[in-house]
Amino acid sequence: MVLEAFKKYPSQISSAFRRFPVASALALFTFFALVYSTEHTEIFERLAGMRFLAWLGIYPIAAMLISLTTSLVQESLKNESKLPQAISGAAWLVFSLFLTFAFSMDVSWANYYLVATASFIYITATLSIFIAPFWKNKDENAFWIFLFKNLKALVVAALVTALLLASVEALVFCFGALFEHEFDEKVYFYIFYFCASTVFPILYFSGIPSIEECHSETPALNKFATSTIRFLFVPVLSLAILLFYAYIVKFIVLWDMPQGMVSYFVSGFMLYMLALVTVLYPTRLAPGNTFEKKLLKVFPAACIPLVAMMSVGLIRRISDYGISAERIYALSINIFFYIIIAVFLIDKIKCKSRYIAVIFCAIFFVITDTPLSAYSISQRVWMGSIREALAEAGYTEFPLSKDDARKFVIDLRKKDDENSKLLVSRMLELAEAHNPEFTEYLPITGYDYAFTNDLTEDVCCGEGSDSTGEEPFDQFEVSIEYPDKALLQVPRGTKGAVAIDHYFNNEFEFTGDTLTFRISLKEDSGCSCNSDESDACPDSTAGPAGESATRTVYSFTVDRQALKQDSTRQIKTDGAAIAISYLHAEEESKSSKSLRIKGILFTE
């Protein structure tokens, strides 16, 4: 029987190419996109390359899902025109290019909306595969058959793909071992790419039932499924309900407010209930008032107190810790659970899955891609609390200087109350996210480690704070950062330029108020310092004896006070100058120090 099933695969795969030609072609395109991104990693060091990488990650699979949905809808409408495929494909191509190339990837809100919008497209496209072809149906019969045959096709495709992947990679490994040839690890990656991005979806396509076939059958559960549900899954759900009810009694008697983990437990339970009720759909069609029919009414109604308990827990968390994007997401899920229960309990709603899917997508869109998104609301609330705190502290002119900003943070930490701690944690998150509205008031980002250390240290150090009796150490830390596209001033007499980006080890020292560091350069330089074969490298990489003659060592000195000035753009020495893109220098103690410099080294 298994052999007969395997014999059908060649004809099924060829029929998948004929039935879903565009989706199959996009599966192949996904494989080539993965290979290209692996072979040309150097392009991702540039901003345009990063955008292209983001596009490769967003476009192909979503395009395949959209094409598959379009084909299934056309099949349900018996429409063989190529125009719908062309329109949907072109629309997604244009929108995906706009999504990845229209916004700056250096801005936190742009990255958020890029991920949120891409997630919305993927979720909508996936749900549309099961909902869109049956949109005009007055019941869920065909949807239920299509759903479970698709699940079977997915499982079979995954198992066959996993078996093929293991077999081919074992074959390659054995070949290399027998003939003493060591294959590059990329070979194994490419085998995985091909199986995951091409073999798996095409095998899945070959198992998708026809829409006409789904309409011609009647939903029914076999005896094994019915017995398993009745004697295994239903008791588990019933015991879970009783467990939650016992917790509710404890909550009422002891007034022990629900903790944060309750939301996770209730969410998992609701998904379990949703899956079980969906599986039990054929029992709705059975004549008479059966045991399973009663369960379809009892379980959703029994979940109401549990979802209400989740609401109480969320309200408590918001009351104690304030609004955050994560809590808004949890609150939205909580509202969605109430809607699911209402849909299941209202008998007049026949196509329940359609309403649940549409409402889920609508809520997801509102909380991720609109002005009412969780991100937007949380940012507005957080910035409002920061503005209030600044006003209470007497600051009226913005942006603050770095000294005033650090003083403001340290004063907040000294208060040591819950509101101040909450405000400090919000400021840290906004700084690390490089929030543009935040920098209008406190012009400091996560790159300013002195500032973020003030936010995260348990104790703010001041004069006499050292209780060990040791001599206080004069700590030093500074960060300088300029945009990559900032205007570079090329020194006169420049004959060469080398990009550098290096974490120094022992090639620098702090002496009094002076920072000294060394960089050596090959005479035939041409590579950047972050390369394994770098020509511009710290002095310690000059190489073995005899190679140092081919290098020129430049020693740079800069005053610590000069580094603290925001206007510092270049560090010069005899015969060379460094245009700074990013610099972080830190000396925490006599034995702990660090230096990183990124920029361009100009030589005369």
Side-chain angles (χ1 to χ4, degrees):
M1 188 172 180
V2 176
L3 184 61
E4 290 297 323
F6 273 99
K7 286 181 179 180
K8 294 179 181 178
Y9 262 113
S11 61
Q12 286 181 334
I13 292 172
S14 63
S15 66
F17 278 99
R18 291 193 301 271
R19 188 179 173 196
F20 309 113
V22 178
S24 300
L26 286 166
L28 288 169
F29 175 75
T30 304
F31 166 68
F32 290 120
L34 290 170
V35 171
Y36 181 85
S37 62
T38 304
E39 285 291 334
H40 299 279
T41 54
E42 72 280 355
I43 70 169
F44 306 131
E45 296 174 4
R46 304 189 298 272
L47 180 60
M50 291 175 62
R51 292 179 186 276
F52 184 62
L53 173 63
W55 181 79
L56 284 179
I58 290 172
Y59 171 76
I61 298 177
M64 181 171 58
L65 294 172
I66 292 170
S67 173
L68 180 61
T69 300
T70 305
S71 297
L72 291 170
V73 171
Q74 286 187 263
E75 188 175 308
S76 67
L77 299 175
K78 294 181 171 54
N79 182 351
E80 298 181 358
S81 172
K82 296 180 180 179
L83 189 60
Q85 283 284 354
I87 293 174
S88 62
W92 170 234
L93 175 62
V94 172
F95 183 71
S96 64
L97 289 171
F98 171 79
L99 193 62
T100 50
F101 287 88
F103 299 106
S104 171
M105 297 185 72
D106 297 327
V107 182
S108 58
W109 65 264
N111 283 323
Y112 167 81
Y113 282 109
L114 173 65
V115 174
T117 305
S119 301
F120 172 73
I121 294 294
Y122 269 80
I123 290 172
T124 305
T126 302
L127 292 177
S128 295
I129 293 173
F130 303 96
I131 301 297
F134 310 101
W135 188 260
K136 292 186 176 182
N137 289 19
K138 295 182 180 180
D139 56 46
E140 293 185 300
N141 294 3
F143 159 78
W144 191 89
I145 294 169
F146 183 81
L147 174 65
F148 281 89
K149 287 195 174 184
N150 264 273
L151 292 176
K152 179 182 176 181
L154 278 170
V155 171
V156 171
L159 291 175
V160 173
T161 302
L163 180 62
L164 178 66
L165 174 63
S167 302
V168 175
E169 293 208 336
L171 182 64
V172 172
F173 177 80
C174 292
F175 180 88
L178 291 172
F179 292 93
E180 298 181 351
H181 177 78
E182 186 175 351
F183 287 98
D184 189 281
E185 62 180 9
K186 288 183 179 179
V187 174
Y188 296 97
F189 278 120
Y190 295 158
I191 295 171
F192 172 77
Y193 291 162
F194 182 72
C195 290
S197 65
T198 303
V199 174
F200 172 69
I202 290 177
L203 287 177
Y204 165 62
F205 296 162
S206 68
I208 295 178
S210 67
I211 304 300
E212 186 176 350
E213 174 187 345
C214 295
H215 280 105
S216 63
E217 295 184 20
T218 302
L221 289 172
N222 57 42
K223 290 184 179 180
F224 174 78
T226 304
S227 300
T228 303
I229 291 170
R230 176 175 289 187
F231 298 110
L232 183 60
F233 293 108
V234 168
V236 169
L237 191 62
S238 303
L239 289 173
I241 291 175
L242 293 176
L243 178 65
F244 277 112
Y245 274 38
Y247 183 82
I248 293 173
V249 171
K250 174 194 171 188
F251 157 61
I252 294 173
V253 173
L254 302 178
W255 201 242
D256 181 20
M257 297 293 285
Q259 301 297 317
M261 289 300 294
V262 170
S263 295
Y264 295 104
F265 292 142
V266 173
S267 297
F269 173 81
M270 285 295 296
L271 292 176
Y272 183 88
M273 187 273 291
L274 176 61
L276 188 58
V277 172
T278 302
V279 172
L280 286 171
Y281 170 77
T283 61
R284 294 179 184 272
L285 309 177
N289 194 13
T290 63
F291 171 73
E292 285 78 11
K293 270 191 176 181
K294 293 178 181 178
L295 290 179
L296 293 176
K297 284 289 186 182
V298 170
F299 280 152
C303 292
I304 295 175
L306 313 185
V307 179
M309 181 178 62
M310 178 180 174
S311 302
V312 173
L314 287 172
I315 292 170
R316 179 200 175 186
R317 301 288 291 183
I318 293 172
S319 175
D320 290 346
Y321 305 107
I323 286 289
S324 69
E326 291 77 12
R327 294 186 188 103
I328 295 174
Y329 291 138
L331 194 59
S332 301
I333 292 171
N334 186 237
I335 294 170
F336 179 62
F337 289 157
Y338 283 113
I339 295 172
I340 288 177
I341 293 171
V343 170
F344 280 137
L345 293 178
I346 299 174
D347 290 330
K348 290 184 178 180
I349 300 177
K350 300 301 180 183
C351 299
K352 300 181 186 296
S353 57
R354 180 192 308 170
Y355 285 93
I356 291 173
V358 170
I359 292 169
F360 176 78
C361 291
I363 292 176
F364 189 90
F365 177 74
V366 170
I367 65 170
T368 56
D369 288 273
T370 69
L372 296 176
S373 69
Y375 177 84
S376 299
I377 293 173
S378 63
Q379 299 297 293
R380 286 197 293 269
V381 172
W382 288 12
M383 285 307 305
S385 63
I386 291 170
R387 282 191 291 266
E388 289 177 6
L390 288 167
E392 290 177 3
Y395 295 104
T396 56
E397 294 185 5
F398 305 104
L400 300 181
S401 65
K402 289 190 176 182
D403 289 337
D404 286 341
R406 295 192 66 187
K407 181 179 181 301
F408 174 64
V409 172
I410 292 172
D411 289 343
L412 275 177
R413 292 195 62 83
K414 286 179 179 178
K415 292 181 181 180
D416 200 31
D417 59 90
E418 291 301 323
N419 287 334
S420 298
K421 289 180 180 178
L422 179 61
L423 189 62
V424 167
S425 67
R426 289 175 174 178
M427 292 172 66
L428 176 61
E429 188 167 335
L430 291 169
E432 291 180 339
H434 308 275
N435 184 279
E437 189 177 359
F438 176 74
T439 57
E440 291 177 4
Y441 291 88
L442 293 92
I444 307 171
T445 66
Y447 287 124
D448 195 309
Y449 297 98
F451 176 73
T452 52
N453 281 345
D454 288 333
L455 289 169
T456 55
E457 286 175 353
D458 291 333
V459 180
C460 290
C461 302
E463 273 190 57
S465 62
D466 192 349
S467 60
T468 63
E470 297 179 2
E471 181 182 352
F473 182 80
D474 184 16
Q475 295 183 343
F476 171 77
E477 185 173 16
V478 67
S479 290
I480 300 172
E481 183 184 12
Y482 293 95
D484 290 339
K485 295 183 180 179
L487 180 64
L488 288 177
Q489 205 171 27
V490 180
R492 292 183 179 180
T494 296
K495 295 181 180 179
V498 180
I500 61 172
D501 183 3
H502 189 71
Y503 291 89
F504 289 76
N505 293 321
N506 298 314
E507 311 84 28
F508 71 100
E509 59 185 359
F510 291 96
T511 306
D513 289 333
T514 302
L515 167 64
T516 302
F517 61 92
R518 295 173 295 280
I519 291 180
S520 62
L521 190 68
K522 285 183 182 179
E523 292 181 359
D524 58 345
S525 61
C527 300
S528 61
C529 189
N530 58 352
S531 170
D532 292 337
E533 299 179 356
S534 175
D535 292 317
C537 299
D539 189 38
S540 63
T541 65
E547 186 184 345
S548 59
T550 65
R551 293 181 178 269
T552 302
V553 178
Y554 297 98
S555 181
F556 293 85
T557 59
V558 58
D559 187 81
R560 288 211 241 186
Q561 291 301 119
L563 286 177
K564 289 184 177 180
Q565 297 176 8
D566 292 342
S567 58
T568 300
R569 191 69 175 92
Q570 288 190 351
I571 303 176
K572 297 182 179 181
T573 190
D574 292 339
I578 295 177
I580 300 171
S581 171
Y582 173 73
L583 181 147
H584 176 70
E586 180 178 4
E587 188 180 25
E588 295 181 350
S589 66
K590 292 180 180 179
S591 59
S592 177
K593 58 185 180 178
S594 63
L595 174 65
R596 180 192 176 189
I597 298 178
K598 179 181 179 182
I600 297 178
L601 174 65
F602 296 105
T603 59
E604 297 179 1

